[in-house]
Amino acid sequence: MTLAEAREGQRFRILLLPNRDIRAQAIRFGISEGEQVTCTAIIPGGPIIVTKNRQEIAIGRGLARKIAVEPIASPSSLKSPVRRHFYGLPRP
Amino acid sequence: MACHDLNQQLNIPPGVRKIVLAGNPNVGKSVFFNAFTGLYVDVSNFPGTTLEISHARVGNDVVLDTPGVYGVSSFNEEEKVARDVIMEADVVINVVDAVHLERDLFLTQQIIDMGIPMVLALNMIDEAKRQGIKIDVKKMEELLGVPVIPTVAIKNVGLEEVKKAVARARIGNALPELQEMLPLVEKKTRTRAEALLILEGDPFIAARCRMKPLDRQEEIYLARRRRVDAIVAAVVQENPSGASWKTSLSRWMMHPLTGIPLLILTLGILYEFIGVFVAQTVVSITEEGIMQGYYEPFIRTLIGSIIPASSIPGTLLIGEFGLLTMTVTYILGLLLPLVLGFYLSLSALEDSGYLPRIAVLVDRMLMRLGLNGRGIIPIILGFGCVTAATITTRLLGTPRERRIATFLLAMTIPCSAQLAVITSMLSRLGPGYTFLYVFLIAVIFVLTGTILNWILPGKPSDLLIDIPPLRFPRPINVLKKTATRTKNFIQEATPLFAVGALLIGTLQVTGLLETLQNWLSPVTVNWLQLPKETATAFIMGFVRRDFGAAGLYSLALTPAQSVVALVTITIFVPCIASALMIFKERGWREGIIIWPTILILAFLIGGLISQLLI
């Protein structure tokens, strides 16, 4: 399904972002493929608002139609300890 | 080999340390800049672009401000400028918003990866505390590898510490992934920053270094995102506070059912403030009372005693369009209060975080006119001053959008000075004709946008914006912003008006003004069905839009004729200042197309309405 079909309050995993530029800009705001976001508002006919932590991002409807997402039931586990170790970060 | 040289472009002597302020939009860089540099600041156009860079000498250092960006690359003009300035930095002071670390640290990590010594100013730490966000500064310093100083810039907290920390600036901990990627490219470039940006596929830097851009951007960006998220998870502790009234207000602002009434209410308040209070009450004191009442008679007597007022230099200096009379009165008596009032409202709006929410609200409607939601910002500004609004079309993403917005502004948006005259004329005619005028202009606005969207190649770009939290604007911050902007605007506008006044003065002295009036009269009388004298109003409209409208005020017109004349004068070519601004922003080639097109359209549409109404 695409982000344009989202319902308010639903939680998703982003599967596919359309093009290079959009992907790069979205990553800066904190959304990348594989990331989990919540749809917090849908403006009728207009943009979709997604939230990751405290960061809110408005995505135009046209763009939302090109973003593939999958709904997830429950929030997933924390970031894996292996990855944290790789960045020299303390284990949780 | 130096791929690029900023020192020459900005006139920085060799051997001076360059301290660059960098950060996301609206994190408080300007407050830092002002605090660091005091009052004596040079604002110069960055070479080859329309963007301005503030820089100031402080001792043996030069401090440079950069446009707010989310990352360093070349997505738009701001980023290209920020990129070039950051790449040349000896030290970067990275200002981040403590409430938005996930977003802001992306740029931080990128600058660290570029290998530039950095100090991190963790700004708005008070706001973070209020929202229940706790940040472990020590751990953050350790993970990033650069000094981290908590600050509250607007309250002057921590600024001295940041200044001192510049001496401790370090190159931070770069992404481990880069260790294997960088060395290959680094051999062929002058700096590590260049190598990184070439890896990230920046075509401009690659071309400068005579290399091909590489395609590792996504890989690097994703790794950077993961690292930033991991750092944030390690240093931020949060006590989630439930949905507050701000969250609800934010939703109301963006949802059409509640958002449109809220927008109308806001615009109404702004109109009452700028269009009624400033444009009428304040301006009548400053323009008519002070400037025309005291200043003009004084300067006329003074200059008149040296040069006869009726001579050619006399007319140019103190005549109807004189340099010392009209120009000065216009700038100090009319423009200054209007621009002040306008920037005051705008800065408050900006600081509150309402503008991006308006952009979300109108995105759907503006897409049909070839703009995305962000296009609303220059349009709202246009009702204040079309000249200033034309500058802000820079914030739109593509040249196509800037073109459409500039054209719509020039053609359909009356500025506040003109609105004041138009409202007073319409109020004599009653609500029916007022509605007719508003309806006609709205139809022209929508039609123009739709047609431009249709004929210009390409499509409107999709909205992808970050929505900042709603904040109550801080008066001191708003006042400072207003003061800087007003100063810059007046500095930029004054020479334009002087040139304009001189031009019209010359036309008057040489008798060309009358010739032009006669030449225009067949159009006005036959096609527009207006009295012959209307031609004068149109010529005046070149100098100042509201002069044109004011010229109509004294004529005896039927209500229908008034509407025709007002619609024509609204569409009619913008004042000299905004016309010159269009040329400056869009370039001569486009300006030469836009300007006469609007002129012809004004008479064409005015005439059509005249044929229908009269």
Side-chain angles (χ1 to χ4, degrees):
Chain A
M1 68 182 276
T2 71
L3 183 61
E5 298 157 47
R7 276 177 293 114
E8 277 182 25
Q10 215 171 4
R11 211 168 149 71
F12 301 95
R13 182 175 288 111
I14 307 254
L15 297 180
L16 190 80
L17 288 162
N19 68 55
R20 215 183 102 109
D21 278 10
I22 296 285
R23 273 200 296 273
Q25 287 180 47
I27 293 171
R28 290 165 167 193
F29 288 142
I31 0 175
S32 52
E33 289 162 1
E35 203 71 62
Q36 294 178 11
V37 296
T38 310
C39 166
T40 44
I42 296 167
I43 311 305
I48 312 273
I49 317 285
V50 300
T51 309
K52 190 199 149 198
N53 301 337
R54 281 171 312 275
Q55 181 68 53
E56 276 192 306
I57 300 136
I59 297 172
R61 187 57 67 101
L63 181 55
R65 280 196 203 101
K66 291 179 234 156
I67 297 177
V69 296
E70 79 179 352
I72 39 178
S74 60
S76 81
S77 57
L78 282 164
K79 302 207 165 50
S80 74
V82 180
R83 193 190 284 161
R84 297 177 69 88
H85 182 68
F86 181 61
Y87 289 114
L89 297 167
R91 281 165 198 275
Chain B
M1 179 198 69
C3 296
H4 191 60
D5 198 359
L6 183 82
N7 297 350
Q8 265 182 359
Q9 293 182 346
L10 286 181
N11 257 331
I12 297 169
V16 167
R17 189 167 61 158
K18 288 184 286 293
I19 301 175
V20 170
L21 282 164
N24 284 209
N26 298 320
V27 293
K29 283 187 304 300
S30 311
V31 185
F32 266 85
F33 187 76
N34 293 338
F36 273 31
T37 54
L39 287 170
Y40 303 98
V41 172
D42 281 330
V43 178
S44 51
N45 260 344
F46 193 75
T49 72
T50 46
L51 283 177
E52 274 137 13
I53 286 286
S54 313
H55 55 100
R57 280 295 292 268
V58 180
N60 208 24
D61 300 330
V62 61
V63 181
L64 296 113
D65 201 4
T66 58
V69 292
Y70 296 107
V72 183
S73 63
S74 22
F75 283 124
N76 55 41
E77 198 106 303
E78 276 86 0
E79 285 190 15
K80 287 178 201 163
V81 170
R83 177 197 68 199
D84 286 344
V85 180
I86 292 170
M87 282 177 71
E88 293 293 321
D90 294 304
V91 174
V92 165
I93 297 175
N94 178 210
V95 185
V96 305
D97 171 355
V99 187
H100 280 101
L101 283 183
E102 281 108 340
R103 184 196 66 191
D104 288 32
L105 288 185
F106 189 88
L107 175 69
T108 309
Q109 185 63 46
Q110 192 176 24
I111 299 172
I112 288 175
D113 292 340
M114 288 165 84
I116 302 168
M118 180 204 278
V119 172
L120 192 122
L122 190 57
N123 200 21
M124 306 191 200
I125 197 80
D126 56 338
E127 174 80 28
K129 217 172 273 168
R130 250 200 309 278
Q131 294 194 22
I133 303 165
K134 259 174 84 179
I135 299 167
D136 186 340
V137 175
K138 244 188 162 166
K139 197 180 259 174
M140 197 169 160
E141 205 167 298
E142 188 188 304
L143 293 175
L144 289 170
V146 300
V148 177
I149 321 285
T151 61
V152 186
I154 40 174
K155 288 185 185 158
N156 214 0
V157 173
L159 294 179
E160 276 308 309
E161 286 82 348
V162 174
K163 264 189 212 175
K164 280 181 206 147
V166 169
R168 292 192 286 128
R170 281 196 308 270
I171 299 174
N173 302 332
L175 287 176
E177 285 91 340
L178 291 173
Q179 275 166 15
E180 36 190 295
M181 291 190 219
L182 270 175
L184 289 168
V185 192
E186 243 178 325
K187 277 185 216 151
K188 299 180 202 160
T189 58
R190 186 172 55 114
T191 63
R192 176 170 170 165
E194 279 166 0
L196 178 75
L197 289 179
I198 290 170
L199 274 173
E200 288 184 7
D202 191 310
F204 296 89
I205 300 297
R208 251 181 232 166
C209 298
R210 299 203 175 82
M211 285 180 69
K212 271 196 182 151
L214 298 168
D215 198 21
R216 310 292 286 267
Q217 188 192 46
E218 233 173 305
E219 200 180 325
I220 300 174
Y221 270 34
L222 284 170
R224 191 173 287 145
R225 171 48 56 200
R226 282 196 298 268
R227 176 164 165 88
V228 167
D229 286 349
I231 292 176
V232 172
V235 302
V236 176
Q237 248 194 343
E238 202 180 344
N239 297 318
S241 49
S244 64
W245 61 273
K246 275 189 183 174
T247 318
S248 321
L249 182 61
S250 171
R251 294 280 169 277
W252 291 339
M253 283 172 168
M254 294 187 287
H255 198 284
L257 275 182
T258 41
I260 292 169
L262 268 172
L263 181 62
I264 292 171
L265 182 74
T266 313
L267 293 180
I269 294 169
L270 287 184
Y271 179 73
E272 278 298 314
F273 176 62
I274 303 169
V276 178
F277 174 69
V278 180
Q280 291 169 25
T281 316
V282 177
V283 165
S284 79
I285 299 169
T286 53
E287 188 181 29
E288 286 158 30
I290 300 171
M291 298 308 288
Q292 285 167 356
Y294 296 101
Y295 169 77
E296 284 196 18
F298 166 76
I299 201 83
R300 281 211 173 90
T301 327
L302 188 76
I303 301 289
S305 64
I306 311 165
I307 312 165
S310 52
S311 67
I312 291 175
T315 314
L316 290 181
L317 282 177
I318 52 172
E320 203 182 344
F321 309 104
L323 269 182
L324 293 174
T325 43
M326 188 199 82
T327 314
V328 177
T329 301
Y330 183 20
I331 288 170
L332 295 182
L334 184 103
L335 212 57
L336 184 66
L338 272 175
V339 167
L340 251 170
F342 171 67
Y343 277 139
L344 201 64
S345 325
L346 175 69
S347 305
L349 263 188
E350 261 182 11
D351 283 12
S352 67
Y354 188 26
L355 287 180
R357 288 172 172 83
I358 299 178
V360 171
L361 175 71
V362 298
D363 186 56
R364 181 188 185 180
M365 298 167 242
L366 285 192
M367 283 299 258
R368 299 199 182 145
L369 314 184
L371 297 168
N372 70 39
R374 294 173 71 162
I376 195 67
I377 297 168
I379 289 166
I380 289 181
L381 303 190
F383 286 102
C385 173
V386 172
T387 313
T390 307
I391 309 174
T392 61
T393 56
R394 283 174 198 170
L395 65 85
L396 302 179
T398 63
R400 182 184 193 262
E401 281 161 14
R402 279 175 229 153
R403 216 162 275 156
I404 294 176
T406 309
F407 201 89
L408 283 175
L409 273 174
M411 186 162 155
T412 54
I413 308 293
C415 67
S416 61
Q418 204 180 12
L419 262 180
V421 182
I422 291 173
T423 1
S424 54
M425 267 182 85
L426 285 173
S427 63
R428 291 195 302 201
L429 305 178
Y433 284 99
T434 308
F435 177 76
L436 183 64
Y437 169 82
V438 174
F439 174 75
L440 287 171
I441 293 295
V443 168
I444 294 166
F445 177 81
V446 172
L447 276 180
T448 311
T450 313
I451 292 170
L452 282 174
N453 186 28
W454 183 55
I455 59 171
L456 288 176
K459 268 182 162 179
S461 62
D462 279 310
L463 189 75
L464 178 64
I465 54 166
D466 139 62
I467 301 178
L470 282 176
R471 283 203 192 101
F472 201 80
R474 293 189 187 247
I476 292 174
N477 208 20
V478 170
L479 287 177
K480 272 188 183 164
K481 253 190 189 176
T482 307
T484 321
R485 285 174 163 174
T486 309
K487 200 184 102 198
N488 288 350
F489 181 80
I490 296 291
Q491 269 174 358
E492 201 158 345
T494 306
L496 294 182
F497 288 121
V499 168
L502 215 56
L503 203 79
I504 294 284
T506 315
L507 284 180
Q508 196 192 25
V509 168
T510 52
L512 270 171
L513 194 65
E514 234 183 286
T515 318
L516 274 171
Q517 278 171 17
N518 289 331
W519 178 76
L520 260 176
S521 65
V523 182
T524 45
V525 176
N526 299 336
W527 174 238
L528 294 174
Q529 306 183 61
L530 297 171
K532 196 187 163 200
E533 294 78 35
T534 344
T536 321
F538 288 128
I539 292 168
M540 298 284 276
F542 278 112
V543 187
R544 235 177 77 180
R545 299 183 112 194
D546 60 313
F547 267 7
L552 297 174
Y553 199 83
S554 48
L555 298 175
L557 299 172
T558 65
Q561 277 182 324
S562 297
V563 171
V564 171
L566 285 177
V567 169
T568 313
I569 208 93
T570 306
I571 307 173
F572 194 65
V573 181
C575 65
I576 282 187
S578 56
L580 286 175
M581 197 55 76
I582 292 173
F583 279 100
K584 187 174 169 254
E585 289 294 315
R586 303 278 355 114
W588 286 98
R589 207 182 288 174
E590 257 185 77
I592 275 168
I593 300 170
I594 294 176
W595 200 64
T597 308
I598 292 178
L599 192 70
I600 293 164
L601 281 176
F603 288 116
L604 200 69
I605 297 170
L608 285 176
I609 295 171
S610 157
Q611 305 300 327
L612 286 173
L613 283 182
I614 302 171

